[in-house]
Amino acid sequence: MSAPPPPPPPTPDDRDGDARRSTVRRVHPAPHESVSIRDAYTVERVPHPDRPWLGVCMVTSLDGTVTVDGSSGGLGNPNDLEVLLTLRSIADVIVVGAGTVRGEGYGPPKKPGQRIGVVTNRGAVDLDQELFASGAGFLIAPASAEVDEDRVEVLRAGDDVVDLTAAIERLDAVVRGVRYVQAEGGPTLNASLMEADLIDELDLTIASRLSGGAGPRLTRGAEELDRRFDVAHLLVDDDGFVFGRWTRRR
Ligand SMILES: NC(=O)c1ccc[n+]([C@@H]2O[C@H](COP(=O)([O-])OP(=O)(O)OC[C@H]3O[C@@H](n4cnc5c(N)ncnc54)[C@H](OP(=O)(O)O)[C@@H]3O)[C@@H](O)[C@H]2O)c1
């Protein structure tokens, strides 16, 4: 018997975790006090002249894996979910790698007008899933990818591989006035975004657990490089989870 398909990731309307969320305290910057995740993460993000602001949102274990049993679901806690939902609720566009969509499943967004761009070189994405049937999903693909454009909107950038810089600069053609893009992994997409120096913000939850295994870390397959970030905030909850927000030092 095959395993049931994974449920779509939580949407901004899913608040089931509220009752289970433990107190969150800010340890940086001062004052050190209890904060709501919404207040901490709902800050102004100024787009670049030629492209929107781009943040990457991920959760990792203490030993650096971003997957347990092949998905991120086993790593988080209710406060981490709240971080994800808060950031989704303020993003205009979500971008995600095709591998994550294939592995975790992605439903349509709850925020009206929000679109979800799936990055793929091969175009090997199941267009029957609700994400695309709803019209919210679109593909970000190179010119060479064979995709039925009667069934899905495609943002073309690059010849044989996706040119992510061009794609992010052209997102306005898909969502007029886009200011904030949330990238939700996975590690292969993160690596490309890092190499292209498109990451303005990293919203990283560090789960208070060692997980072992052979899962990937935050980036996979990138060349060695040195991108510096400033810490914008560090929060910690009673569960020992750390919620960091880092912004690119330009
Ligand atoms: N802990 C977390 O917060 C978190 C978040 C997200 C995902 N994950 C986990 O990460 C794992 C997936 O890892 P992954 O590295 O395979 O993820 P991925 O980056 O989502 O998927 C890789 C695939 O996406 C497409 N892709 C990625 N970057 C691209 C680029 N620059 N240009 C063109 N296409 C690109 C390619 O698709 P095609 O093969 O179709 O060309 C590639 O094979 C899953 O187990 C998932 O659960 C964890």
Side-chain angles (χ1 to χ4, degrees):
M1 202 171 82
S2 62
T11 65
D13 284 351
D14 297 333
R15 297 287 168 191
D16 297 347
D18 275 11
R20 291 177 290 121
R21 283 195 278 124
S22 63
T23 304
V24 178
R25 292 182 179 78
R26 182 166 55 209
V27 293
H28 174 87
H32 307 164
E33 59 187 11
S34 297
V35 286
S36 81
I37 285 172
R38 179 153 288 276
D39 285 349
Y41 283 87
T42 309
V43 296
E44 193 186 6
R45 293 165 172 90
V46 181
H48 301 263
D50 53 352
R51 68 168 178 86
W53 180 269
L54 186 142
V56 168
C57 179
M58 295 284 287
V59 57
T60 177
S61 70
L62 288 173
D63 50 340
T65 187
V66 298
T67 64
V68 171
D69 268 347
S71 98
S72 59
L75 281 170
N77 76 354
N79 280 320
D80 171 58
L81 177 59
E82 182 69 4
V83 171
L84 177 71
L85 299 182
T86 297
L87 290 168
R88 278 188 183 173
S89 74
I90 55 180
D92 303 303
V93 174
I94 290 169
V95 295
V96 61
T100 297
V101 170
R102 287 191 286 262
E104 300 204 356
Y106 253 70
K110 285 284 164 67
K111 181 181 175 182
Q114 191 178 65
R115 303 287 304 273
I116 299 183
V118 179
V119 183
T120 174
N121 280 329
R122 297 180 294 142
V125 177
D126 175 12
L127 298 180
D128 288 333
Q129 57 190 300
E130 206 192 336
L131 172 61
F132 299 107
S134 69
F138 66 101
L139 298 184
I140 298 174
S144 60
E146 288 181 23
V147 181
D148 182 352
E149 297 200 31
D150 290 335
R151 301 187 61 201
V152 66
E153 183 176 358
V154 186
L155 175 60
R156 301 274 182 183
D159 297 329
D160 298 318
V161 293
V162 171
D163 178 338
L164 278 172
T165 303
I168 299 300
E169 286 175 1
R170 288 181 208 154
L171 273 178
D172 198 69
V174 179
V175 175
R176 188 68 56 207
V178 53
R179 292 172 57 85
Y180 176 37
V181 178
Q182 162 132 301
E184 298 189 353
T188 306
L189 177 60
N190 293 345
S192 304
L193 291 169
M194 179 179 66
E195 286 177 332
D197 201 5
L198 288 166
I199 301 176
D200 298 307
E201 165 175 347
L202 175 62
D203 299 296
L204 181 65
T205 294
I206 303 168
S208 54
R209 48 169 59 104
L210 293 165
S211 299
R217 60 189 176 106
L218 200 64
T219 63
R220 167 152 63 189
E223 62 185 88
E224 270 188 30
L225 39 72
D226 182 21
R227 301 268 191 254
R228 299 296 177 97
F229 285 75
D230 294 311
V231 63
H233 77 217
L234 284 175
L235 317 179
V236 62
D237 74 6
D238 291 346
D239 205 12
F241 275 48
V242 176
F243 308 92
R245 178 171 182 265
W246 285 266
T247 53
R248 180 80 169 98
R249 189 179 299 166
R250 302 275 180 199

